[in-house]
Amino acid sequence: MCISAGFALFVLQLSIMAYNIEKFIDEALAEDIVDYNGVIPTGDHSSLACIPGSQQGKAKLLCKADGILAGVELAELVCKRVDSNMRLEILLKDGATIKKGDIAFYLYGEVKDILRAERLLLNFMQRMSGIATHTAKFVSAVEGTGARILDTRKTTPNLRYFEKWAVRIGGGHNHRYGLYDMIMLKDNHIDFCGGIEKAILTVKQYQQQNNLNLPVEVETRNLKDVEEALRVGNITRIMFDNFTPQLMKQAVQLVNKRYETEASGGITHDTVRSYAETGVDFISVGALTHSSASLDLSLKAY
């Protein structure tokens, strides 16, 4: 029941954010046409100066590197916000495995509109495709173990929705969206509260007083912490923070499937398989969003 409640809140947040995407796109487009000194919309002078009237054109989204494509649906939304008459002929969808030289889609519309949409859709797609590609590598590395790759809240401010969307496209799973859809007792919470037992019991009381039923995750730093969390109970998931694979295997056996388990802390593509083979349920990797390199894509006149 706790997981369902948390997931319901997460889905609600995604729905609300979906309604706000158009506003976000409008604000992002405005960065290119507003003179912030005078705070007046002025326009794309490069295009206005050399592109005649309503000249029609066609462009192609060219993939210049191998990876996983992400952001096609968002690119279509960007184009529609620029001009509802713009049209995409989509050849490759989100989640497609791409090779250098592939064409993801063709874009039709007024040339000035294509040029106005170009940078924003590329910024989104390059960032999202980079995250999806990075995520897919981690997912592939743990294939067959049953472990699921999670993102974290280590995202770019105001871009969390899009970055977590890219993680899903890459085959990963989303951890909590914000501070409201899961209670996560990390080391600082535990230390400030006076220990694991006191933190968990205080959270239980808080949930009862506020009629909440959120999932509760507690961070542990050693086997003694794990034993204390198991003794106190009233939790959903136990996180093993900065455990070695050998120690994590002991911790997973200690939990013995009574609660969900999660590995976290400095796990790389080279080490993730060894953690997955311990039997842990989830592996959270902040690098999916904070350290992914953008994938090289380009929009070219065709």
Side-chain angles (χ1 to χ4, degrees), residues 6-79:
F7 183 72
L9 276 174
F10 176 72
V11 170
L12 176 61
Q13 171 64 25
L14 293 186
S15 300
I16 293 170
M17 185 61 193
Y19 285 117
N20 290 332
I21 287 179
E22 291 185 352
K23 179 181 177 183
F24 184 90
I25 291 172
D26 289 344
E27 291 175 348
L29 288 167
E31 281 187 315
D32 275 331
I33 61 167
V34 173
D35 175 1
Y36 283 98
N37 290 321
V39 199
I40 337 175
T42 57
D44 172 9
H45 292 305
S46 304
S47 297
L48 290 170
C50 67
I51 305 298
S54 57
Q55 178 182 335
Q56 298 293 304
K58 176 181 178 182
K60 62 182 179 182
L61 194 289
L62 179 64
C63 304
K64 300 174 73 175
D66 299 349
I68 302 297
L69 187 66
V72 175
E73 290 185 30
L74 184 54
E76 190 166 25
L77 289 175
V78 168
C79 292

Side-chain angles (χ1 to χ4, degrees), residues 56-65 79 86-89 91 100-111 113-119 121-122 125-126 296-302:
Q56 298 293 304
K58 176 181 178 182
K60 62 182 179 182
L61 194 289
L62 179 64
C63 304
K64 300 174 73 175
C79 292
M86 293 181 74
R87 180 173 65 87
L88 266 69
E89 179 187 346
L91 306 180
K100 183 178 180 180
D102 284 346
I103 297 172
F105 57 73
Y106 292 107
L107 174 59
Y108 303 86
E110 288 191 15
V111 173
D113 292 332
I114 291 174
L115 293 172
R116 185 181 170 204
E118 175 186 9
R119 179 43 51 198
L121 74 82
L122 283 175
M125 289 194 66
Q126 289 176 318
D296 196 3
L297 305 170
S298 184
L299 191 70
K300 294 294 186 183
Y302 184 75

Side-chain angles (χ1 to χ4, degrees), residues 19-267:
Y19 285 117
N20 290 332
I21 287 179
E22 291 185 352
K23 179 181 177 183
F24 184 90
I25 291 172
D26 289 344
E27 291 175 348
L29 288 167
E31 281 187 315
D32 275 331
I33 61 167
V34 173
D35 175 1
Y36 283 98
N37 290 321
V39 199
I40 337 175
T42 57
D44 172 9
H45 292 305
S46 304
S47 297
L48 290 170
C50 67
I51 305 298
S54 57
Q55 178 182 335
Q56 298 293 304
K58 176 181 178 182
K60 62 182 179 182
L61 194 289
L62 179 64
C63 304
K64 300 174 73 175
D66 299 349
I68 302 297
L69 187 66
V72 175
E73 290 185 30
L74 184 54
E76 190 166 25
L77 289 175
V78 168
C79 292
K80 291 299 182 184
R81 291 309 290 173
V82 171
D83 189 304
S84 60
N85 293 316
M86 293 181 74
R87 180 173 65 87
L88 266 69
E89 179 187 346
I90 297 172
L91 306 180
L92 296 170
K93 296 182 179 180
D94 285 331
T97 299
I98 56 175
K99 298 292 183 183
K100 183 178 180 180
D102 284 346
I103 297 172
F105 57 73
Y106 292 107
L107 174 59
Y108 303 86
E110 288 191 15
V111 173
K112 284 183 288 193
D113 292 332
I114 291 174
L115 293 172
R116 185 181 170 204
E118 175 186 9
R119 179 43 51 198
L120 181 57
L121 74 82
L122 283 175
N123 285 347
F124 274 135
M125 289 194 66
Q126 289 176 318
R127 176 71 178 145
M128 290 180 68
S129 295
I131 291 171
T133 299
H134 198 186
T135 301
K137 291 177 181 177
F138 273 86
V139 172
S140 177
V142 303
E143 186 176 0
T145 65
R148 284 170 281 179
I149 299 297
L150 299 177
D151 55 23
T152 69
R153 286 173 50 247
K154 295 176 182 178
T155 53
T156 308
N158 289 332
L159 293 179
R160 181 172 297 170
Y161 176 86
F162 306 106
E163 293 178 349
K164 283 180 171 284
W165 184 359
V167 167
R168 297 195 304 277
I169 290 172
H173 299 264
N174 296 146
H175 205 298
R176 57 178 179 162
Y177 188 88
L179 297 173
Y180 59 85
D181 56 340
M182 172 184 261
I183 293 177
M184 191 167 174
L185 299 173
K186 293 179 70 65
D187 53 356
N188 282 335
H189 298 94
I190 291 166
D191 291 343
F192 278 125
C193 196
I196 287 176
E197 179 173 5
K198 187 173 181 181
I200 293 175
L201 294 179
T202 303
V203 162
K204 180 182 178 181
Q205 184 179 33
Y206 173 85
Q207 296 226 67
Q208 290 172 341
Q209 290 172 344
N210 290 277
N211 196 28
L212 293 172
N213 193 24
L214 295 172
V216 178
E217 178 168 9
V218 60
E219 179 180 295
T220 59
R221 290 168 274 190
N222 49 56
L223 290 180
K224 182 180 178 182
D225 284 353
V226 175
E227 290 171 346
E228 184 174 0
L230 290 171
R231 178 177 58 79
V232 179
N234 295 290
I235 53 178
T236 309
R237 184 184 302 170
I238 299 177
M239 175 194 287
F240 311 125
D241 186 49
N242 285 302
F243 280 39
T244 63
Q246 295 74 22
L247 188 61
M248 187 166 298
K249 188 173 183 179
Q250 294 180 54
V252 168
Q253 291 172 347
L254 194 59
V255 175
N256 194 27
K257 299 188 182 300
R258 283 176 281 178
Y259 302 104
E260 295 176 347
T261 55
E262 178 182 334
S264 182
I267 298 170

